[in-house]
Amino acid sequence: MTITINRLRDNCEIYGMKNAALFFLTASLLAACGHTERTTKNTSSPLVDSAVVTSPKPKNCLSLIEPEKLGKANDYQESAKSIKVALTLEKDTSTTETAGGCYFNNTVTVLATKKSGSQLFKRTLLKDDLLYFTKSDDVINRSVLQNTTYKPTFNGQKYITLTMSLRNPDSKKTANYIVFMNYFGEIVKVR
């Protein structure tokens, strides 16, 4: 009889530990779900009129680039390098406000491929990418990306050199920035 009582006590202790572990697991999951729900509730903004939050879409904005030049890739191939670079200008949805009106900003998509056809990288560059590498951002903020060209490097270094030309629509002045990108699509240097 004492063996049965000891066995029954051992079983209860095992089930008790299993129940405690199950209880702990359930409580942890509920706490985690509750924490996520509270975080979601805290990050939601109070009710605001949607007309105040959304900015009006620009109307009658101009473009510095002719529509026939947008969306067409310019291919560049160096004899010293085993890669091909394609640059495609596109109109961006953002605009630059000037004294003479608003102008659509532009983007350039850089696609670098090996001679075999496999892709090295694909990256879309904005004029704002230059802000991280320059001391003065006033010229960049008042300008629009007008053109991007590939600049041959004539050496075996593993980077791609591009010239990004920005134009101020009011003063018609052009600023050229030389962008050095590695074969992973990262901007290494701008001058």
Side-chain angles (χ1 to χ4, degrees):
M1 185 74 141
T2 56
I3 295 174
T4 307
I5 293 172
N6 286 339
R7 198 177 293 166
L8 183 60
R9 191 178 329 143
D10 291 342
N11 285 343
C12 287
E13 287 176 9
I14 291 172
Y15 286 123
M17 288 193 307
K18 284 183 181 178
N19 286 340
L22 184 60
F23 175 74
F24 178 73
L25 179 64
T26 305
S28 298
L29 287 173
L30 287 173
C33 291
H35 176 69
T36 304
E37 189 174 319
R38 279 194 306 270
T39 303
T40 305
K41 287 180 183 175
N42 289 341
T43 58
S44 63
S45 61
L47 295 175
V48 179
D49 187 14
S50 63
V52 174
V53 174
T54 58
S55 59
K57 290 188 177 183
K59 295 180 180 178
N60 301 326
C61 286
L62 304 171
S63 178
L64 290 181
I65 303 176
E66 296 82 25
E68 59 270 1
K69 291 186 178 179
L70 294 171
K72 294 183 180 176
N74 292 324
D75 295 327
Y76 299 91
Q77 174 76 51
E78 268 189 64
S79 58
K81 291 187 178 181
S82 61
I83 61 167
K84 183 171 118 177
V85 178
L87 303 176
T88 308
L89 284 169
E90 294 287 350
K91 183 168 68 172
D92 195 12
T93 56
S94 66
T95 59
T96 297
E97 297 293 330
T98 65
C102 74
Y103 288 84
F104 281 109
N105 291 318
N106 299 303
T107 65
V108 61
T109 301
V110 182
L111 175 63
T113 55
K114 297 178 184 177
K115 278 188 179 177
S116 64
S118 63
Q119 179 176 313
L120 273 174
F121 71 87
K122 182 177 183 180
R123 175 164 182 191
T124 300
L125 296 176
L126 309 169
K127 70 172 186 172
D128 294 341
D129 291 326
L130 302 172
L131 294 173
Y132 299 108
F133 297 92
T134 56
K135 293 178 182 175
S136 173
D137 56 353
D138 192 41
V139 173
I140 297 170
N141 287 331
R142 290 185 286 127
S143 299
V144 176
L145 177 64
Q146 183 179 20
N147 196 14
T148 303
T149 56
Y150 180 80
K151 184 176 179 182
T153 54
F154 301 111
N155 59 27
Q157 293 180 341
K158 299 263 183 190
Y159 58 81
I160 294 169
T161 310
L162 306 174
T163 302
M164 293 179 72
S165 298
L166 274 59
R167 183 173 181 159
N168 184 324
D170 287 335
S171 67
K172 308 294 186 222
K173 289 185 179 179
T174 303
N176 292 323
Y177 295 90
I178 299 173
V179 178
F180 298 86
M181 298 176 73
N182 63 19
Y183 283 3
F184 299 107
E186 301 165 331
I187 298 176
V188 178
K189 180 173 64 170
V190 173
R191 64 172 183 191

